[in-house]
Amino acid sequence: MSQTKVTPISGFPEYLPGERIVEQHFLDVIRETFERHGFASIETRAVEPIERLSSQGEDADKEIYAIRRLGADADEEGPGLGLHFDLTVPFSRYVLENAGRLTFPFRRYQIQRVWRGERPQEGRYREFTQADIDIVDVGELPFHYEVELPLVIADAFSRLPVPEFRIQVNNRKIPEGFYRGLGLDDVTGVLRAVDKLDKVGPEKVTEMLVGIGATEAQAKACLQLAEIATPDATFVEQVRSLGVEHPVLDEGLEQLAAVMRAAAEHAPGLLVADLRIARGLDYYTGTVYETQLVGQEHFGSICSGGRYDALASDGKTTYPGVGISIGVSRLLGKLLAQGSVRASRSTPSVVLIALNDEDSRAGAMRTAAALRSRGVACEVAPAAAKFGKQIRFAERRGIPFVWFPGAGEHGDQVKDIRSGEQVDADATTWAPPAEDLVPQVLTVGSD
């Protein structure tokens, strides 16, 4: 067989064991939090028809990885398939296919890989993990769910070593009504232009707006709206002061103010009403969310989502929903790159069973079985060697305890190789300190 040089592929992150322990901790905490709030787990297939994926926004086609059987003819029978670039689109299809077997309102969470045709850079991957929650109902979805979702995210982040964060919230009806009140009918085009404000700046956005038919005065008003951000409901007065009126604008202002009032009661300081937040995908129709790390806003959003009213519809029945998604890989990649989180060790093993010689391996295996039966993760030394060498192996692996069969007057002994303390031990009763039982995820500077 010819040998192929192994080279990394950018945009497809792979973690070392210690980093993987951190990732699993994040996923476990997120899952437990979602379940605590009553969300049920589902998993959807990795592929969807390209036609469905590509209908979700102007730039969607650029993000889709199409798949085809190797060697298949270009005109092979069957729909074109693509890897899903988010979890909301496949979830909406799942709801339509299983509506008769679901109980509404349906609360689901989904933690899966997604694939996106990104240009790899910091925080931007081609393959990554997302953790989503959504609530869908039949026909009508009560507004209070739009208030609830950011509180769930706040609960999850409060249990993780996540730096200070802030959830920015807007309502798509505010810019839509504002633009229509200005006399701009290409609402989608204006939204897409304003959504690029952080990337290209106000001058470029103004050029884009004028290019799609806005006057200089209209473009200026659009930018004035996007500059409004308040930690409470005072944004309403600021929008009103711009002198634009429209029924859709009124509805959006009322709904966003309700979100901010609820947040002030249940999670003071958590939300900021930021009227430049729009989200790029076309299916959002109401409240939209983006979450940023305070002081690291240049990194972009680590958690986003919003309300969608028409994404799941079979032509007769519509299933409106609201969802929010944690970019797990994006957030974790940032924290690991900063060195702000780490695992206390890179292996689940808390004990290494030392070997006096190869003939004692069977006894060591019995000791290991006794420890494992009581929830103590352990492994037997790979080979008999001088005890100093076996201890150094445990140190390299990050295993805190070494077990020495028959080392004591009345049986075995175990040594904490960090402190050097060695005591008599019985595999049927001994247990490590609680903090050593499983690897811990630590913030830098913690013990």
Side-chain angles (χ1 to χ4, degrees):
M1 294 179 63
S2 61
Q3 293 188 353
T4 302
K5 183 180 179 181
V6 177
T7 58
I9 303 177
S10 62
F12 295 84
E14 294 179 325
Y15 293 133
L16 294 172
E19 296 168 330
R20 175 64 173 155
I21 285 172
V22 176
E23 182 189 39
Q24 287 180 308
H25 173 73
F26 271 62
L27 294 175
D28 287 344
V29 169
I30 291 169
R31 173 184 55 79
E32 291 166 4
T33 304
F34 288 171
E35 291 182 355
R36 182 184 299 175
H37 286 265
F39 292 87
S41 175
I42 70 164
E43 183 171 280
T44 57
R45 66 197 185 204
V47 298
E48 297 291 334
I50 288 180
E51 180 181 1
R52 182 168 180 81
L53 293 172
S54 63
S55 66
Q56 305 310 319
E58 180 184 39
D59 296 327
D61 284 347
K62 301 175 183 177
E63 299 185 335
I64 300 169
Y65 279 111
I67 65 170
R68 188 162 60 107
R69 182 174 56 82
L70 190 64
D73 295 332
D75 58 351
E76 185 180 58
E77 183 179 355
L81 298 177
L83 295 170
H84 55 225
F85 59 80
D86 75 353
L87 299 178
T88 305
V89 174
F91 172 59
S92 66
R93 186 266 312 159
Y94 176 94
V95 169
L96 290 175
E97 289 186 0
N98 295 282
R101 293 175 287 179
L102 300 176
T103 301
F104 294 95
F106 180 49
R107 305 166 69 93
R108 88 81 165 86
Y109 79 87
Q110 196 170 345
I111 301 176
Q112 277 186 244
R113 294 274 184 164
V114 299
W115 295 266
R116 192 169 295 179
E118 297 276 13
R119 179 173 64 85
Q121 54 187 302
E122 183 187 28
R124 298 284 185 180
Y125 306 111
R126 293 170 173 171
E127 180 184 47
F128 52 98
T129 299
Q130 287 190 181
D132 285 27
I133 48 173
D134 285 77
I135 303 174
V136 297
D137 211 337
V138 182
E140 297 288 337
L141 179 73
F143 173 71
H144 61 80
Y145 292 125
E146 296 175 49
V147 180
E148 178 182 351
L149 290 197
L151 302 180
V152 179
I153 298 303
D155 188 11
F157 283 179
S158 71
R159 301 173 59 208
L160 289 168
V162 175
E164 184 182 358
F165 64 94
R166 184 176 296 115
I167 299 178
Q168 300 161 298
V169 60
N170 193 7
N171 191 298
R172 286 283 284 261
K173 295 176 183 177
I174 294 176
E176 178 183 348
F178 189 86
Y179 303 153
R180 293 192 185 283
L182 284 173
L184 296 171
D185 294 327
D186 186 4
V187 173
T188 300
V190 178
L191 279 171
R192 288 173 178 164
V194 175
D195 194 41
K196 295 179 171 64
L197 188 57
D198 287 335
K199 296 180 180 178
V200 302
E203 291 185 6
K204 183 63 176 177
V205 170
T206 298
E207 292 179 13
M208 295 168 65
L209 292 173
V210 171
I212 59 174
T215 66
E216 291 283 349
Q218 289 172 327
K220 179 180 178 181
C222 292
L223 293 178
Q224 287 176 321
L225 179 72
E227 290 171 357
I228 296 174
T230 67
D232 49 33
T234 57
F235 68 90
V236 176
E237 300 171 7
Q238 296 186 38
V239 174
R240 294 298 189 198
S241 71
L242 297 177
V244 177
E245 296 183 0
H246 194 277
V248 176
L249 173 62
D250 296 339
E251 187 177 356
L253 290 172
E254 180 181 349
Q255 291 182 353
L256 184 55
V259 171
M260 296 304 296
R261 286 192 294 268
E265 177 181 355
H266 298 288
L270 173 67
L271 265 60
V272 171
D274 190 332
L275 303 194
R276 78 170 57 191
I277 302 302
R279 305 297 301 139
L281 294 171
D282 290 346
Y283 54 69
Y284 291 119
T285 57
T287 303
V288 287
Y289 318 95
E290 287 194 357
T291 307
Q292 296 185 337
L293 299 175
V294 174
Q296 303 180 65
E297 288 81 4
H298 65 281
F299 184 65
S301 181
I302 57 170
C303 177
S304 58
R307 169 141 185 169
Y308 46 92
D309 285 314
L311 185 59
S313 176
D314 59 9
K316 297 179 179 179
T317 306
T318 298
Y319 302 88
V322 60
I324 195 165
S325 171
I326 301 173
V328 179
S329 298
R330 181 171 171 80
L331 172 60
L332 199 58
K334 181 68 170 178
L335 300 181
L336 289 172
Q338 291 177 334
S340 58
V341 293
R342 64 176 179 85
S344 59
R345 60 180 189 264
S346 60
T347 175
S349 295
V350 67
V351 180
L352 176 75
I353 315 297
L355 291 175
N356 294 311
D357 49 50
E358 281 301 322
D359 291 340
S360 64
R361 183 173 292 277
M365 293 291 288
R366 287 191 291 272
T367 298
L371 290 168
R372 291 170 186 149
S373 70
R374 298 172 40 253
V376 179
C378 60
E379 58 188 87
V380 177
K386 292 182 178 180
F387 284 155
K389 185 175 181 179
Q390 295 186 66
I391 290 172
R392 287 192 294 275
F393 173 78
E395 288 176 334
R396 290 195 301 273
R397 293 268 285 131
I399 302 173
F401 293 91
V402 177
W403 193 280
F404 298 105
E409 293 185 10
H410 306 290
D412 301 346
Q413 289 191 329
V414 66
K415 180 175 184 175
D416 184 337
I417 62 175
R418 299 162 299 184
S419 65
E421 181 183 15
Q422 185 166 328
V423 298
D424 291 339
D426 186 326
T428 62
T429 58
W430 179 86
E435 62 271 20
D436 288 326
L437 190 58
V438 296
Q440 302 297 304
V441 172
L442 310 172
T443 55
V444 168
S446 63
D447 294 329

